[in-house]
Structures are given as structure tokens and as C-alpha cells.
Amino acid sequence: LTRLERLLSERNRLLSMPRPDPLWLNALEDDLAGTAMAVATARVDYLDRLRSVMDATPDDGFPRAQVTWTGYLEDQIGQAPSLQIEQNYRAVLADTRARDAAVGATTLGPHRADLDVIYKAKAMPAAHCSTGEQKALLFALFLAHARLVRNEVGDSPIVLLDEVTAHLDPT
């Protein structure tokens, strides 16, 4: 992620120059596409592992969440070979140079991806849930992550939370 942020910043800086060197931009965008693909793939992989833990968790009283990444690269993972997705992203970066220069930002990539959370029982996006439901969904995801860490590392993480129940609905 740090490398991705640095590459995005460098690309944006280059695009802000009056006449950026196209060879430099090509090399930078080549590195950026590979790094972006690695980040997007790692996110999708993590979410797959988290979902498997959530599906295997017995009912613990917290709402079940359906979670997905949505984003330019994330939407394509599993639909095409990774190398093809990376090459397409590299071409898109080259094609959007003028637009990105005008807005001062790279407009497509994993830095623009969203984590979509749905409250399964209500088939409702978390954004439309009550504050208590949103916090319960967040806590359920947090607990699922702790279970994932336990499963993959072998030890349960120590979790310190301050006044969690003060932020949840009574049930």
C-alpha cells in the first residue's frame, strides 16, 4: 500500500508538469499497474478468507454481513487472467492521462475501491442501517478478522475494546 501511494503520488506529480516525459510515465505506470494489481488481488484474497470464516461461525448474536470489494480492478479479478487485467489497467492509465492531469488525481485504481457491506438478514446496505446495526456489523467483521488471525496464526489475538456495549443496540 505504501508503494502504491508513492507511485500514485509520483504519477500525479508528473502529470501536473507542463510536458511530462512519456517514457518516464510509461515506466511509472508499468510499475503502478503491477503494484495496483498486487494490492487488489491481496484484498480480494483476504476477503475470500474472511468470508469463509464468517460462513463457518455459529450464530453469535451479531448480524451476518455480506462483504464485497467493488472497484475497477477488483471487479475484474476472477473474470480474466491477472496479467490481462494488469495490461488493461496499464492501457487505461495511459488513456486517462489528460483527464487525470486535469483533476490532479488518478481516477481509477485500488485507491478508489469500496468495501460494500450488506446486512444479510435484511438484504440492506450497511449505509441504510441504523447506527446500532452498523456498529454491530462492524463488530461482527472485527470478530471475524480476529477468528481469521487465530485460524491462520494459531493464536488468538488480544483485543482491547473500550465501552463496546455503549455503542450497540440492547439486543
Side-chain angles (χ1 to χ4, degrees):
L1 287 173
T2 301
R3 181 178 178 82
L4 178 66
E5 289 174 9
R6 182 183 56 77
L7 291 167
L8 287 167
S9 177
E10 189 171 343
R11 179 177 184 267
N12 294 337
R13 186 176 49 77
L14 273 175
L15 290 175
S16 72
M17 295 178 176
R19 285 181 291 162
D21 180 351
L23 293 177
W24 189 0
L25 270 170
N26 287 341
L28 180 66
E29 289 170 349
D30 186 54
D31 197 5
L32 176 58
T35 302
M37 191 63 198
V39 167
T41 301
R43 286 177 173 171
V44 170
D45 176 63
Y46 167 77
L47 208 52
D48 287 343
R49 295 184 344 260
L50 186 68
R51 271 194 226 99
S52 70
V53 168
M54 290 172 17
D55 292 344
T57 301
D59 186 7
D60 58 5
F62 286 98
R64 298 288 179 158
Q66 176 184 332
V67 289
T68 54
W69 278 108
T70 56
Y72 179 80
L73 295 172
E74 293 79 1
D75 292 347
Q76 297 178 63
I77 293 174
Q79 308 300 314
S82 295
L83 185 57
Q84 184 63 50
I85 298 168
E86 183 180 328
Q87 289 171 346
N88 292 346
Y89 183 53
R90 189 178 303 112
V92 165
L93 287 170
D95 290 343
T96 59
R97 286 176 183 171
R99 179 184 69 192
D100 290 353
V103 297
T106 301
T107 53
L108 289 174
H111 59 294
R112 300 285 188 184
D114 290 314
L115 180 67
D116 292 332
V117 179
I118 305 286
Y119 185 168
K120 271 187 169 181
K122 294 185 172 186
M124 181 184 299
H128 298 133
C129 293
S130 72
T131 302
E133 289 170 334
Q134 290 175 351
K135 290 177 181 177
L137 284 164
L138 181 61
F139 194 68
L141 291 172
F142 181 80
L143 289 174
H145 173 74
R147 289 182 187 105
L148 178 62
V149 169
R150 180 196 63 213
N151 293 350
E152 292 186 355
V153 175
D155 290 324
S156 294
I158 295 173
V159 178
L160 301 174
L161 302 168
D162 185 29
E163 297 186 43
V164 173
T165 57
H167 302 286
L168 301 174
D169 291 340
T171 56

